Each structure stands twice: as C-alpha cells, then as structure tokens.
Amino acid sequence: MTGIEAQLAAEQQVVDRLYARLDELRAGTRDRLAEVRRVGPSGSPQNRSERDAFATLYEDRLARLEAVEDRLAFGRLDLAEDGGRRYIGRIGLNDEEHASILTDWRAPAAQSFYRATSANPDGVVARRHLVTRGRRVTGVEDEVLDLDVLADAEAAERLGALSGEGALLAALAARRTGRMGDIVATIQAEQDAIIRADLAGALVVQGGPGTGKTAVALHRAAYLLYAHRRVLERSGVLLLGPSRTFLRYIDQVLPSLGETGVVSTTVGELYPGVVATGSEPDAVAAIKGRPVWRKIVERAVRQRQRVPERATTVSIDGRTIVIRPNDVRSAINHARRGHRPHNQARVTFVRDMLGRLAEQYVSQLAWSVAPDERGEIVEELRTTREIRVALNLAWMPLTPQGLISGLLSKPARLDAAAPELSAHERAALLRDADAPWTEADVPLLDEAAELLGEDDQASRAQARHDAAQRAQELDYARQVLEHSGAGLVSAELLADRFASTGPALTTAERAAADRTWTYGHVVVDEAQELSPMAWRMVLRRVPTRSLTVVGDVAQTSTAAGTRDWATTFDRILAGGWRLAELTVNYRTPASVARTAERVGRAAGLPLTPTTSARDVEDALVTEQVDAAGLVAATVAHAETALAAVRDTSGAGRVAVIATPEQVPALAAALPGAGLTRTGAPDLDAPLTVMTPTQSKGLEFDAVVLVEPADVLKGGAGDLYVAMTRPTQALRVVHTQPLPAGWDAA
C-alpha cells in the first residue's frame, strides 16, 4: 500500500466511525419518535400536548441529522499541543462516552480550521481537507502551517494564500445544479471573520461579484443561531432576498447546515396577506421609495380625520341632537393628543363625541339621569344610523390597503397628501383602485399599518385572552418538564411551540404571519436594491438593529437603490453600523472579471477592487452577427455551451441573459427554454432564459449574453451583473459595437 493509499484508508476508518455514530443517533431518534407517535390521539388535552411537544422535538432533531449526510466530516486539525487531532464537520458528534469525535464547524474550537495561517498558526501544525464522495474518502489535501516542520524555505514559499486551495478550486470547477451549495468546507479567512462577527449592530458586507456574499450571509445566519441560540431561537432570524427565484436557489443551504428555522421572504412578501404581483416603471417605484412618504402617509391619515363643514341634526325619540363642527374638532384634538394609531385613537374620539351628544340628550329630559343609567343612552346614540354615519365620516376606521389604494387612485387625495411631489410625479403615481400591489407599494402599506393600528377594543380583549392562555400554558409546560426530567427546552419555549390549544407553530411560522413580529437578527441580501422606505420597513422588524447586510453598490439596478452605503446607513443607523469588504472573486474566471471591471469603470460604476482566484482557458468568446442572425447565433452558442458543461449526472447549467424585450423571442427559439408557467426562470432546467434583473444573485456554468449594448441601456449595473454570472464561460452574441472598456486597449 502506497503512502497516500494508507492515509486514505486511515481517514476512511475515521469517517466510517462518524457515519456509524450518525446512523445510531438517527435510529435512536426515529425509535423515540415512533414510540411517541404510537400513543395516538387519546388521553387528556395535557397528555396530547406533551406527546405533540416531544414528537416535534424529535422531528426537528431527526431533520437536522438527516440534512448532514453529505460531507459529514471535511477537515482535520493536527494540533501542536500533545500531538492531538480534531476533526471538523457539519455538526458536532459525541461517542457513547460523551467524548467529542466531531467538532461543529461553528464551534470556537473549529475557528482555526478557517483562520490559521503559516504566519499565525494558532496552535495548529497542519490542516487537512478531506475530499469525500458520499461516505467514501477520495482524497486529502494537507497544508503545513507550522514553518518549523518544513524542510526548507522553498517549501514555505509554496504555501498559498488560499486555505485548502485544491479543495476550493475543485468546488469552484464543479458543475452547477440549479441550487446553491454551502461553502462550509472551503470558507476562507476573510469570509470566516465576517461569519463569526459580533451579533450586535449592523454589519454591512460590500463585495464584488463572486466574492461569496450570499454564502457568507447564509453561513453567518447558521453561525449566529448556533452561537446565540438562546437569544435567537424564540425571536427568530429573517432572511430577505431579491426574488422568489433567488430564494429557491438558496433554499437548500441552511438545512444542509442544520438550520431550518429561518424566515425567508422578499420585500414584496414581507407584509402578511399581501403578495406583490404588479409591475410598474422603475421611475414610479423610485418615487414611492423616497423617505418623504413617511410624511405623505401620515398626512393622508390625518386628512381622514375631518371636521364637517356644517352641523348635522338628528331626531331621537322626539329630542333633537346636533353634531356640531366645534364639538367634532374638539374631540379630534382630544384623540390626537394621545398619540395613538388612527384606529385606536378613533375609540377615544367616538367615546368623546358620544359623551357630548349624551349631554345634549339628558339636558332635554324632564328628569335627572343617574350616572349608571347613562350607558343605555350612549348605546342608543351609538346605534342610531345617522349618528354612526356622521362619526364615521369624521373619523373613518381604515385599513392600510384602503388608505394606500385610495391615495394612489384618487387625484384629489394624492394632491392634498403629497405637496412635496411635483404634479408630473403625482400623475405618474395614479392608477386604478383595483390595480395589483407592486413591490414598492409594500413599504407604504407597512407605513400605513403602523399609523393606523388595529381596533383597540378588539386588541385589548384579545390581549387579555392571550395572557390568560399563556399563563396556563407556561404552568403546564413547567409541569411537563418537571415530570419528564428532560432538559430539552425551556418551559417558555415549550409553551410557545406546543400550546394545548390550536396547531403547534414554529417560531418561523408564527413570525411570518405576524406583521408586528420583531426578529433577533435580520439578513438582507442584494441590499443595494432597497429603497429608503423599504429600509424603514425592515428596521421595524429588528429594534435591536442587529443586521447582516450584504450587497454590491456597483450592481444596483433600481433607481431607488443605494449607490453609497454611508449615505444610506449614516441616516438610518447613525453610527450603529460597520463595513466589511470581501476582496476575492471565487466565481468568475479572471479574463471575464477583468473585462467586466473595465466596462463597469467606463460606465462610472463604483467598483470594489477584487482579485480572481482562478482563470479558465477560452472563458470569454464574442461573436458579432447581423440582426437577422442574432437569434440563430444565440441558439447555437447556447447549445454549444450546454454540451460543454453538462456531465453524466445531469449537473451543469447555462443561462441566456437578454433584455426583457428580447427574452420572448429567444425563449420561443430555444427548445425547453427553462421557464415556469408564470414566465419565471426554471433553475432546475439545464438551460434557461432570463433578464439581468432575474439573474441577480445567481450563478451558472456558462452564460450566453445577448446584445450587451442593449443591456447597458437598462443600466450599467445590469450589464455588470449579467457579465459576472458564469463560473466557466461567457459567450457574447452582438450586432452593435461592444460597450466602452470591453477591449483591453
């Protein structure tokens, strides 16, 4: 047996032991789950609650154990102290004697695997990367970090700057599957520093294309849930992505890291019960994104609190009641002084007005009325149709949808509420009352919901009911834990998740359905696209201002987005944020990246300098054709690219990226063009057609870029995004001259 064969055999024995232990834990968890389920639906409500509690706990544990099958162990540290060894993997495992046999990648003891260098070995003599396929060890890659063990200076010189360079480059060269994979085995030092950064405050991560911003954000979410579980498990973590396509692309990463409790959504879906399906010009969306809408919506609410021009006379049982403008004005001012949301303050207004009207009624009686008898008079006044209509006209109960829809469909209301906007801008905003909601509408709805609130009486009654039920559930949860002797969860968490009434909902499920839910941490990807109003909506959901914000200001494609992080965050976070940068482009071949950077600089984009980790031969191919041959040439390049990147397992993905106007014709010409029934890109298809905006945040083995000059007209950021999606090859088909900066000369 050769030296390498002996090493592989030794590592195989270790990996076999780890998988055997994983199988034991899975089998034990399945047995306990089956035992709980065998109890069936019988017994008292308390017994059923206890059964459901432990069933869900075992289901969660089993899901975590099942999700880490691939690359369970991927690294080894040889330690200077006592010559010990420490294996690093997706989760932590202990043997039957509770001794650690596998260290969770997020644990402090694993940090050296990602950060140790020859200059600062951190007690590590050598680092080994394990290459596995299924449960079989297929290769090892060693990095010697303690220079004292190196034979000569020449060997020291060969140490690369990239950690696990061979494993990293192999991962980068692997064919894409239509879903993003984790980078847990190849995290680099600058990425690890961001992943493990403090929970407190807002961390803004700026990085060019291919620097791993999304991967870092997802691994940071998994790390924070591990390191701060007590804080975050009850409040949850929110992940905001740019589109549903993007969220489908990343949906396997967090489960593969053992985390399933993150709420993933888009800005357009962040308001419960509203899905933004409408579209509008970017210029209109930019108007809606301005911070002035805080004042506009507030003014629109106040304008629905109106003093009538003339008095209203109502006859009740032969007595005359007059609703006077001065009384209405006084009641409105009284209600406003409480600084409560509109619908809650309306209760104060109505109570005040009914009291004034009751005084009129009583003054016309020939007898005195005891205080405890006035309630009947007030109730009669409240149910009188004419009075109810008059009070509603003065202070109408409102919904966010009704307020914003009316504001955008009624010119007079918009003119009165938005004097800061020009007449041209107000005209551009107008639309039909039944128009579908757009993504830019959602922050306006959220702003309106904050100012309107819910009906106070209903909320207080519900709060009393919830408090009483919560007290009962906590008491029972403590009893369950005392009798079971299980230290699995706190009584509060058990009560939260397994109430004796209603369905058991996870933290993520409850948070997603509650607009007022506040999260322990929020991750925002492609954050450069958010408008000032969208940021107001996001910050409401994280009062601690604990955020991970990742993006690239050079890739901003919306007029309402960010071109400079300081301009955005100095205003809304006032010193409570810090900036980190990613500087290595792991995705894009160097020749493609250099061309994209030249084009971006020529177009005036604020580029972050990056260094490409690798290059690929013939990565950039361009072909100029006449207009009649554009579609045919695109089809030919797409087929050639697909044949080059597809492997026998079905992996390998190609995207054709073109302007929205060109996509329909190209999709019709490409067999199986990879579009869903709604017209969105199908990431499971080997070949798909999409716009630059739809490609944001995604990556493909090869990209066929159609007519760069037309893409540039939609924005320099769009072209920069489109050019930097491929991991292997960019093939360009054009009829017009290529944009400035394309040629090296």
Side-chain angles (χ1 to χ4, degrees):
M1 182 178 292
T2 65
I4 185 61
E5 289 173 341
Q7 293 182 54
L8 292 176
E11 296 296 3
Q12 186 66 59
Q13 289 181 352
V14 174
V15 170
D16 288 344
R17 181 190 178 198
L18 295 175
Y19 274 108
R21 182 58 177 158
L22 179 65
D23 290 340
E24 289 176 8
L25 294 173
R26 287 172 173 172
T29 305
R30 288 193 192 99
D31 290 344
R32 286 189 286 273
L33 178 59
E35 183 178 348
V36 170
R37 286 174 171 170
R38 276 197 296 271
V39 174
S42 61
S44 66
Q46 290 83 359
N47 289 337
R48 292 197 297 272
S49 176
E50 182 177 355
R51 178 207 64 207
D52 291 344
F54 285 102
T56 303
L57 286 171
Y58 292 140
E59 287 168 354
D60 288 350
R61 180 178 295 177
L62 185 59
R64 288 191 178 99
L65 293 173
E66 296 286 4
V68 296
E69 173 68 23
D70 185 40
R71 291 178 298 165
L72 173 64
F74 50 77
R76 188 187 87 186
L77 293 175
D78 292 353
L79 307 176
E81 184 177 354
D82 300 328
R85 287 179 175 176
R86 182 181 300 149
Y87 282 86
I88 311 299
R90 293 181 175 277
I91 60 171
L93 291 177
N94 295 332
D95 62 16
E96 296 83 351
E97 304 300 323
H98 304 290
S100 175
I101 57 175
L102 185 65
T103 300
D104 192 301
W105 69 274
R106 297 168 288 188
Q111 182 169 307
S112 297
F113 183 75
Y114 300 108
R115 295 200 191 178
T117 65
S118 57
N120 181 21
D122 197 22
V124 177
V125 173
R127 171 172 49 211
R128 168 168 286 184
H129 291 259
L130 305 179
V131 182
T132 59
R133 178 172 297 171
R135 296 190 172 193
R136 186 167 62 88
V137 179
T138 60
V140 295
E141 178 189 359
D142 289 327
E143 298 173 83
V144 179
L145 302 179
D146 189 338
L147 298 182
D148 292 338
V149 307
L150 294 179
D152 51 43
E154 182 181 350
E157 186 68 24
R158 289 198 299 268
L159 290 174
L162 296 175
S163 171
E165 185 172 3
L168 173 63
L169 295 180
L172 297 178
R175 295 298 183 246
R176 270 45 194 169
T177 64
R179 292 292 186 275
M180 183 179 182
D182 63 71
I183 61 168
V184 65
T186 57
I187 294 170
Q188 300 300 299
E190 72 171 5
Q191 297 172 325
D192 187 69
I194 293 170
I195 290 169
R196 297 176 192 267
D198 290 342
L199 173 67
L203 176 62
V204 180
V205 182
Q206 163 67 32
T211 54
K213 297 183 296 297
T214 296
V216 166
L218 294 172
H219 287 69
R220 177 162 167 75
Y223 168 77
L224 292 176
L225 282 165
Y226 173 89
H228 305 278
R229 192 167 297 279
R230 185 178 296 275
V231 174
L232 297 179
E233 190 165 38
R234 292 186 63 191
S235 57
V237 173
L238 172 66
L239 169 65
L240 282 176
S243 66
R244 267 289 139 197
T245 299
F246 174 84
L247 293 179
R248 286 194 298 272
Y249 175 63
I250 66 171
D251 64 6
Q252 296 176 1
V253 175
L254 282 168
S256 75
L257 298 173
E259 299 297 344
T260 57
V262 174
V263 177
S264 300
T265 190
T266 66
V267 168
E269 297 172 335
L270 192 52
Y271 189 100
V274 171
V275 177
T277 59
S279 61
E280 61 193 348
D282 187 51
V284 174
I287 296 171
K288 293 179 181 178
R290 296 176 188 172
V292 71
W293 278 88
R294 176 182 62 82
K295 294 181 180 179
I296 294 173
V297 176
E298 182 179 10
R299 195 178 292 123
V301 171
R302 289 179 69 89
Q303 288 170 352
R304 303 300 289 272
Q305 303 161 6
R306 297 172 291 196
V307 177
E309 295 182 358
R310 58 183 64 86
T312 299
T313 301
V314 181
S315 179
I316 302 176
D317 298 332
R319 296 170 181 86
T320 300
I321 304 298
V322 182
I323 302 173
R324 304 184 183 97
N326 283 341
D327 285 340
V328 174
R329 181 178 294 105
S330 296
I332 287 176
N333 290 335
H334 176 221
R336 285 176 175 174
R337 283 195 292 271
H339 301 291
R340 305 181 75 188
H342 172 91
N343 288 330
Q344 296 173 17
R346 180 180 179 275
V347 177
T348 302
F349 165 76
V350 171
R351 186 183 299 121
D352 190 320
M353 282 301 302
L354 290 176
R356 294 169 187 265
L357 299 180
E359 287 290 340
Q360 291 187 41
Y361 187 94
V362 170
S363 68
Q364 298 178 53
L365 297 177
W367 62 88
S368 61
V369 177
D372 59 349
E373 295 176 350
R374 289 203 173 201
E376 297 180 5
I377 296 174
V378 169
E379 180 62 19
E380 183 177 2
L381 294 171
R382 187 187 67 80
T383 56
T384 300
R385 181 181 181 280
E386 292 87 344
I387 292 177
R388 190 168 64 249
V389 169
L391 297 187
N392 278 343
L393 288 174
W395 195 304
M396 180 73 72
L398 297 170
T399 65
Q401 290 90 331
L403 179 76
I404 300 302
S405 177
L407 190 61
L408 297 177
S409 61
K410 293 180 167 48
R413 287 186 183 175
L414 187 58
D415 291 346
E420 296 89 348
L421 303 181
S422 69
H424 175 75
E425 289 170 336
R426 292 195 296 270
L429 290 169
L430 290 173
R431 67 188 190 197
D432 293 338
D434 59 353
W437 297 112
T438 69
E439 186 171 298
D441 292 331
V442 175
L444 307 187
L445 290 169
D446 199 66
E447 191 76 25
E450 282 291 302
L451 296 172
L452 295 176
E454 302 292 338
D455 181 86
D456 191 47
Q457 291 177 325
S459 297
R460 283 185 296 177
Q462 184 64 44
R464 288 193 297 270
H465 171 77
D466 291 346
Q469 180 172 305
R470 170 71 171 173
Q472 294 175 356
E473 291 163 358
L474 270 175
D475 182 63
Y476 174 65
R478 292 190 182 98
Q479 295 178 36
V480 169
L481 293 176
E482 288 171 3
H483 287 92
S484 69
L488 298 173
V489 292
S490 66
E492 288 78 7
L493 182 59
L494 192 64
D496 280 344
R497 296 187 62 185
F498 313 117
S500 59
T501 57
L505 298 178
T506 66
T507 297
E509 289 167 336
R510 289 185 290 119
D514 184 355
R515 191 197 69 82
T516 62
W517 188 277
T518 56
Y519 295 87
H521 191 77
V522 172
V523 178
V524 186
D525 203 348
E526 300 294 342
Q528 74 277 356
E529 304 297 346
L530 269 63
S531 70
M533 287 303 294
W535 280 116
R536 282 181 60 82
M537 179 171 62
V538 171
L539 293 180
R540 285 193 192 99
R541 283 145 178 85
V542 56
T544 61
R545 301 301 188 255
S546 176
L547 301 107
T548 300
V549 176
V550 300
D552 179 14
V553 291
Q555 297 185 55
T556 304
S557 60
T558 59
T562 296
R563 267 79 183 168
D564 177 74
W565 295 121
T567 301
T568 295
F569 291 113
D570 283 347
R571 177 177 53 81
I572 62 177
L573 293 176
W577 67 284
R578 58 199 189 277
L579 180 68
E581 289 190 314
L582 294 169
T583 61
V584 179
N585 184 337
Y586 301 100
R587 176 205 301 144
T588 317
S591 55
V592 176
R594 287 193 297 267
T595 302
E597 288 176 0
R598 289 196 304 270
V599 172
R601 288 195 188 93
L605 293 179
L607 301 183
T608 300
T610 60
T611 301
S612 293
R614 78 204 206 290
D615 204 357
V616 176
E617 188 177 357
D618 297 326
L620 181 59
V621 175
T622 63
E623 181 184 4
Q624 185 168 12
V625 298
D626 58 32
L630 182 66
V631 172
T634 300
V635 171
H637 278 282
E639 293 175 344
T640 300
L642 187 60
V645 302
R646 289 282 278 174
D647 63 22
T648 56
S649 70
R653 295 293 185 271
V654 173
V656 175
I657 301 180
T659 65
E661 295 77 17
Q662 293 167 327
V663 164
L666 294 172
L670 287 165
L675 298 179
T676 65
R677 286 179 297 178
T678 62
D682 180 3
L683 298 182
D684 292 323
L687 174 65
T688 188
V689 184
M690 63 182 66
T691 67
T693 299
Q694 291 172 326
S695 74
K696 193 176 292 289
L698 309 180
E699 65 180 23
F700 303 89
D701 294 280
V703 166
V704 180
L705 175 60
V706 182
E707 206 66 270
D710 285 344
V711 174
L712 180 61
K713 293 174 185 176
D718 283 353
L719 180 57
Y720 188 56
V721 167
M723 292 182 67
T724 54
R725 297 308 94 195
T727 66
Q728 303 295 325
L730 175 66
R731 306 177 75 92
V732 181
V733 184
H734 63 105
T735 64
Q736 306 170 52
L738 293 170
W742 196 284
D743 295 326

